[in-house]
Amino acid sequence: MSVAPVVKYLLRLAVLLSAASVLVLTGCVTVPESIRGNSANPQQDLVRVMNAPALYVGQESRFGGKVVKVDNLSGRTRLEIATVPLDDGARPMIHQPSIGRIVAYIPGFLEPTDFNRQWVTVVGPITGTEKGTIDQAAYDYVVIQAAGYKRWQLAQQVVAPMGPPLTPWGWGGPYDRGWGYGGMGWGGYYGGDARVETILTE
């Protein structure tokens, strides 16, 4: 056997193992302790809450998104947040459209320059609604008394092209052109251009 097919096989095996490790890490995603809350499933359906806010007063909730306004008040800070859906780790899904806005009151002073236009997740009981405006439009904000919060950091990662979906024969199925006996090898990595993806990290 020539050296070239072996090297090709080892490279594809490395890609496969790397992908498997990503899947394992993805399955182990946990919510950071600061925003875990006290209940097993904090309310995260903002549309449902906005439709009948009085029904959810006192219920623990967890929402996240981009901070669009910071106001320091006496003994607490008011964050106005344009919310988006959260992933399994309670990270805002930054590429999703906003669901609506909430107001979160956080005890103490928060430096506005540290939070304005930043991505956050808050957890705490729903306390009602607050009337306000967005530009010239009247708006009823759902209000959260935040018991915990998390400010996320934007980061970038390079995502390698993985080709067709993974199968028991590797990427591309048993008839893939990759190295292997009887088409049962680890082939299926077709190459292509990698892409840079923006994500949130702790």
Side-chain angles (χ1 to χ4, degrees), residues 71-85:
D71 293 306
N72 287 114
L73 309 173
S74 178
R76 60 180 183 168
T77 301
R78 179 186 184 274
L79 298 183
E80 183 178 326
I81 303 169
T83 68
V84 294

Side-chain angles (χ1 to χ4, degrees), residues 130-145:
E130 181 179 297
K131 291 188 178 299
T133 60
I134 299 177
D135 296 326
Q136 301 299 314
Y139 197 86
D140 290 333
Y141 295 91
V142 172
V143 178
I144 309 299
Q145 183 61 47

